Amino acid sequence: MPFQALDELLDETIQLPIRGTVYTVPAPSAEVGLRTQALLNAAAVAADGGRVDEQVLGDAAERDLYAEVLGSAHAQMVADAVPWPALKHAALTAMVWITQDKAAAERFWNAGGDPSRLAPNRETRRARSGAARSTSSRGSTSGTSGPRTPPARARGKGNHPRSPGPRSSGTGR
């Protein structure tokens, strides 16, 4: 079977409802997608305390990334006087879509961008999959694995384990 035309297989837009209007965000160009991916990777590295490529952040700062990721929807939102928090949330949602996928963008959008509102869904998924348990299994220990061994005795320099008690050696001790 030959490959089908990709534009027939992919839905290359996301629909964002704001104040009664649905804005269609088109797929970004390859250049915008690659730059967005690089920017978010750099942000993740910076958030983890790593060293960030200044060129990546400098390039992103020079461009209006929100307008680029929203495409034609950006001009419509500005013309409709969409409030800044809504436009920002739309742009961040588009970035999630670009760097991850549509399902992740929907979760981000529906959580209002608040990561704590995403947590219950993860807990629900874990509970459904059986991954989360309310109690430890009987065989579990306090984070250790393998057989339990008694703690080793502290030994000072030149000390050896003592015998259980004094023996009569006939030396008059």
Side-chain angles (χ1 to χ4, degrees), residues 109-144:
W109 178 266
N110 292 333
D114 181 357
S116 68
R117 291 175 63 187
L118 293 171
N121 292 336
R122 182 173 38 229
E123 290 171 14
T124 301
R125 284 194 312 273
R126 286 182 179 166
R128 268 190 256 141
S129 72
R133 297 194 176 145
S134 59
T135 59
S136 301
S137 65
R138 293 186 72 195
S140 70
T141 60
S142 61
T144 61

Side-chain angles (χ1 to χ4, degrees), residues 7 11 28 30 39-40 48 51 53 56 60 74 78 93 102 104 109 116 123 127-128 136 150 154 165 170:
D7 55 347
D11 180 6
L39 175 65
L40 291 184
D48 286 341
R51 187 174 170 93
D53 182 353
V56 170
H74 182 268
V78 171
T93 300
K102 191 176 275 192
W109 178 266
S116 68
E123 290 171 14
R128 268 190 256 141
S136 301

Side-chain angles (χ1 to χ4, degrees), residues 1-169:
M1 174 161 94
F3 289 100
Q4 294 179 352
L6 191 57
D7 55 347
E8 293 174 12
L9 299 173
L10 298 178
D11 180 6
E12 296 184 346
T13 64
I14 57 174
Q15 309 291 318
L16 303 178
I18 301 173
R19 293 186 161 189
T21 301
V22 177
Y23 296 93
T24 300
V25 179
S29 68
E31 178 186 0
V32 170
L34 291 169
R35 189 169 45 252
T36 303
Q37 184 70 49
L39 175 65
L40 291 184
N41 285 341
V45 168
D48 286 341
R51 187 174 170 93
V52 179
D53 182 353
E54 299 294 329
Q55 184 68 32
V56 170
L57 294 179
D59 286 348
E62 292 175 10
R63 295 179 175 87
D64 186 359
L65 187 61
Y66 286 4
E68 290 178 335
V69 298
L70 290 172
S72 56
H74 182 268
Q76 290 174 295
M77 289 179 190
V78 171
D80 291 347
V82 168
W84 169 246
L87 188 137
K88 179 180 176 182
H89 185 59
L92 293 174
T93 300
M95 287 182 199
V96 171
W97 173 51
I98 292 166
T99 58
Q100 295 181 40
D101 58 26
K102 191 176 275 192
E106 282 180 17
R107 286 189 303 272
F108 181 84
W109 178 266
N110 292 333
D114 181 357
S116 68
R117 291 175 63 187
L118 293 171
N121 292 336
R122 182 173 38 229
E123 290 171 14
T124 301
R125 284 194 312 273
R126 286 182 179 166
R128 268 190 256 141
S129 72
R133 297 194 176 145
S134 59
T135 59
S136 301
S137 65
R138 293 186 72 195
S140 70
T141 60
S142 61
T144 61
S145 60
R148 291 185 50 124
T149 57
R153 289 184 182 162
R155 296 183 183 172
K157 186 175 180 179
N159 290 344
H160 297 285
R162 296 182 182 237
S163 58
R167 291 187 177 171
S168 174
S169 62

